[in-house]
Amino acid sequence: MTITFEPEEILQTIEMVRNENLDIRTITMGISLLDCADQDLKQMEQKIYDKITQSAQYLVKVGDNLAARYGIPIINKRISVSPIAIVAAHLDQEGMVRVAKTLDRAAREVGVNFLGGFSALVQKGLTTGDRALMQAIPQALAETETVCSSVNVGSTKAGINMDAVAEMGGIILESARLTAAQDGIAAAKLVVFCNAPEDNPFMAGAFHGVGEPERVINVGVSGPGVVAHVVKSNPDANFGELANLIKRTAFKITRMGELMGRAASAELGVPFGIVDLSLAPTPAVGDSVAEILEFMGLERAGTHGTTAALALLNDAVKKGGAMASSHVGGLSGAFIPVSEDAGMVRAVEAGALTLDKLEAMTCVCSVGLDMIAIPGDVSPETISAIIADEAAIGMINKKTTAVRVIPAIGKKAGDRVEFGGLLGGAPVIKVHPFSSSKFVRRGGRIPAPITSLSN
Amino acid sequence: MGSDKSNRGIVTVLGMDQIGIIAWVSGKLAENKVNILDISQTILQGFFTMIMVVDLSTSSLEMGELAGTFKSEGQQRGLQVNVQHEDVFTYMHRV
């Protein structure tokens, strides 16, 4: 029996984990709750609690064992469930809040840190269940710890439901107000999507889509630090060479996700869904997407050239990652959250990165405006208009876009908010002072684009 | 791809060279009934670097438990010791 690996290969892997923050960001178990509907709310709560706690009983333990066995940290173990607006379509606002609390209890019982799926898909219109769920969001998120919520307001096939967009502005603001003492943390657990993926393992936007099986394991990889190291070590590489280096690195990172997904699936007896090959930053030093862009040769993320740099990065990550996994899905690309990325925070503080530039960046990266603190005196219509812009980018470009902004109640541009942990902290970023309210209040739907007529 | 059934681990020991590293590691492995299949060892810029392929099929400890023991005892000696299932390296470096 001989060593089949070069020492350099083994040491490279160890270096990635030890110094470059390579980790598996999340193993997320999707659980269908479609069979838990019941006219009797008490019965329904019991069914939901039992199904989640039984399905995910060993999730955390298996995750911890795999991390020890393979020597690759698995940061989060999480759960996504069927959109509650569908599962609990017959309930009113109060009933929805009770379901959220049941989800929270079940999540705590099995030891996961987030549970996603307090969600509604309203791109074409609202059912009574959707309406009840949306109205329940602020209270549900303020009075639970682990529950995450998402609302899909648009798609390339359906267009944008501007009535829902108009409502979401107020819902985000109210969520922040109810948790003002914690810097509006409830709004950090709420995402508004266009073209939401049904198999995304990342929070806060994870939910278990209706096309998904009974249970599924989805894995989200990470590793901005590993890519940053490669880019930093090759300051003279031209763009073709740089793209190639990033592809090879993304391949290696994604292979870890594939390995962990298959192993978790085998140990839990739950089918393996997808690897989401996203570069997800954390507030930790050296685990930043902004730093990758800066190592490419930009003085600060957000300056001219940032969108091009991000486009190259995002595409190379996808190309390398797609080769590494049998099934790729979810969001898959580079994430550009502000508060969760120390380099982004620095760029905002330096005045290099603005909301407008972030919006441009979302045209070429995997998601959207993410974890951005905005002034607390923002009007609900302005938030809605931000959502509309972002949804339009997603709709026209046939990609997922999302908005997760946190109105910092009582604070203004330049002040700081702190969410703690993986959510980090960030300076409050300026929004345009000019009103969008007449536009937002028009009502109705923005028609699906001509590109939707692809049949 | 990989070897789901295999129970081979890769032990890596990194740190300042000192007397008795190999004796300690191999003693610890023997104590837990872990068979050593191959060893490669060099000194890179004064840093002791050893890579071992081991078979845990007769081991009295799980891979994760062995990794935990080596990690904490290694730290006391100023050494970074990892024990990882070989699939990590197969997956990452072999197509």
Side-chain angles (χ1 to χ4, degrees):
Chain A
M1 193 57 62
T2 54
I3 296 181
T4 50
F5 308 104
E6 299 296 325
E8 294 75 36
E9 293 176 327
I10 290 175
L11 296 177
Q12 182 192 39
T13 304
I14 289 167
E15 183 75 2
M16 282 182 182
V17 175
R18 195 173 169 225
N19 295 334
E20 298 160 13
N21 299 304
L22 171 65
D23 55 48
I24 301 297
R25 181 50 41 81
T26 179
I27 291 188
T28 303
M29 180 186 276
I31 304 171
S32 167
L33 296 183
L34 294 177
D35 56 350
C36 294
D38 198 304
Q39 286 301 322
D40 181 329
L41 181 52
K42 258 208 149 67
Q43 283 275 354
M44 182 160 164
E45 288 177 298
Q46 193 62 44
K47 281 187 192 174
I48 289 174
Y49 181 84
D50 290 347
K51 182 143 189 199
I52 292 173
T53 51
Q54 282 159 18
S55 302
Q57 195 176 358
Y58 301 113
L59 177 63
V60 172
K61 189 160 166 266
V62 164
D64 290 341
N65 286 348
L66 292 178
R69 184 167 178 223
Y70 294 109
I72 308 278
I74 299 174
I75 306 300
N76 299 299
K77 277 71 72 176
R78 292 169 170 173
I79 292 172
S80 63
V81 298
S82 314
I84 293 298
I86 299 172
V87 178
H90 60 293
L91 295 181
D92 59 6
Q93 184 180 343
E94 204 178 314
M96 290 290 182
V97 174
R98 276 180 59 175
V99 171
K101 289 182 177 174
T102 305
L103 295 172
D104 196 37
R105 269 197 303 130
R108 288 159 186 251
E109 172 61 28
V110 297
V112 297
N113 60 354
F114 281 121
L115 179 150
F118 195 73
S119 305
L121 310 173
V122 300
Q123 58 270 29
K124 206 105 178 246
L126 275 68
T127 64
T128 49
D130 293 331
R131 190 172 303 282
L133 182 124
M134 282 167 60
Q135 286 165 347
I137 287 173
Q139 191 191 349
L141 296 184
E143 294 180 7
T144 60
E145 198 178 304
T146 60
V147 174
C148 293
S149 176
S150 54
V151 176
N152 190 66
V153 296
S155 76
T156 301
K157 280 285 182 192
I160 302 171
N161 180 351
M162 285 300 291
D163 292 327
V165 169
E167 277 192 49
M168 285 313 296
I171 289 167
I172 289 172
L173 201 52
E174 183 60 15
S175 300
R177 277 189 188 134
L178 289 181
T179 48
Q182 299 128 280
D183 275 341
I185 187 86
K189 298 183 286 180
L190 172 58
V191 186
V192 184
F193 273 117
C194 177
N195 290 325
E198 302 208 330
D199 52 7
N200 159 29
F202 285 103
M203 294 298 164
F207 65 89
H208 184 73
V210 290
E212 296 284 313
E214 192 65 22
R215 293 178 190 82
V216 72
I217 289 290
N218 295 321
V219 173
V221 300
S222 179
V226 182
V227 176
H229 176 80
V230 169
V231 176
K232 188 185 178 185
S233 312
N234 292 277
D236 301 320
N238 69 29
F239 288 113
E241 291 160 358
L242 194 61
N244 214 23
L245 288 164
I246 296 170
K247 275 195 284 189
R248 295 165 68 133
T249 308
F251 176 86
K252 291 177 181 176
I253 296 169
T254 310
R255 289 301 286 168
M256 290 301 96
E258 177 82 1
L259 170 64
M260 291 296 186
R262 286 195 200 180
S265 156
E267 299 230 345
L268 289 162
V270 171
F272 178 31
I274 56 98
V275 176
D276 186 319
L277 44 90
S278 290
L279 286 186
T282 66
V285 173
D287 206 19
S288 156
V289 168
E291 276 176 14
I292 300 175
L293 307 177
E294 290 171 2
F295 286 136
M296 282 190 195
L298 301 169
E299 187 181 353
R300 273 281 171 267
T303 191
H304 303 295
T306 300
T307 309
L310 184 61
L312 180 146
L313 173 67
N314 196 53
D315 186 62
V317 165
K318 283 184 199 171
K319 285 173 178 163
M323 282 291 290
S325 172
S326 43
H327 297 283
V328 171
L331 300 165
S332 283
F335 289 175
I336 53 164
V338 174
S339 76
E340 297 169 347
D341 186 319
M344 291 285 182
V345 169
R346 214 169 40 228
V348 172
E349 282 168 349
L353 186 60
T354 62
L355 196 56
D356 292 339
K357 188 63 179 180
L358 281 161
E359 183 184 311
M361 290 163 75
T362 66
C363 300
V364 298
C365 78
S366 78
V367 201
L369 296 173
D370 196 17
M371 291 304 289
I372 299 170
I374 54 175
D377 61 0
V378 65
S379 75
E381 289 83 5
T382 294
I383 300 178
S384 293
I386 292 172
I387 295 171
D389 281 344
E390 203 53 37
I393 290 171
M395 174 182 77
I396 297 293
N397 295 299
K398 304 187 256 327
K399 75 184 286 291
T400 301
T401 49
V403 173
R404 180 162 54 149
V405 292
I406 301 104
I409 306 303
K411 297 191 175 176
K412 54 185 194 313
D415 292 348
R416 238 189 112 81
V417 291
E418 288 298 338
F419 308 114
L422 275 180
L423 297 174
V428 176
I429 216 165
K430 201 170 74 182
V431 298
H432 287 288
F434 306 102
S435 170
S436 321
S437 51
K438 273 188 188 160
F439 176 76
V440 167
R441 288 198 191 126
R442 270 178 189 274
R445 291 185 283 131
I446 294 182
I450 189 76
T451 50
S452 72
L453 304 176
S454 56
N455 294 331
Chain B
M1 183 89 248
S3 38
D4 294 341
K5 300 286 183 288
S6 112
N7 218 358
R8 290 197 302 176
I10 308 285
V11 182
T12 48
V13 185
L14 308 167
M16 291 306 280
D17 196 13
Q18 54 192 273
I19 293 169
I21 299 180
I22 298 183
W24 167 62
V25 176
S26 52
K28 198 85 207 161
L29 291 170
E31 200 179 296
N32 291 295
K33 300 192 176 59
V34 178
N35 189 28
I36 300 172
L37 301 170
D38 201 352
I39 302 181
S40 122
Q41 188 258 305
T42 62
I43 306 284
L44 285 175
Q45 295 161 356
F47 276 94
F48 179 90
T49 308
M50 178 168 72
I51 298 166
M52 281 178 163
V53 182
V54 298
D55 183 0
L56 275 90
S57 51
T58 52
S59 171
S60 51
L61 291 178
E62 290 285 315
M63 190 103 49
E65 294 169 326
L66 189 66
T69 313
F70 267 123
K71 192 179 177 189
S72 56
E73 290 188 21
Q75 262 165 6
Q76 293 163 14
R77 293 163 188 262
L79 296 170
Q80 189 207 337
V81 187
N82 297 294
V83 184
Q84 291 162 279
H85 196 283
E86 66 167 353
D87 279 356
V88 168
F89 305 99
T90 314
Y91 264 72
M92 186 177 276
H93 297 289
R94 297 288 175 268
V95 181

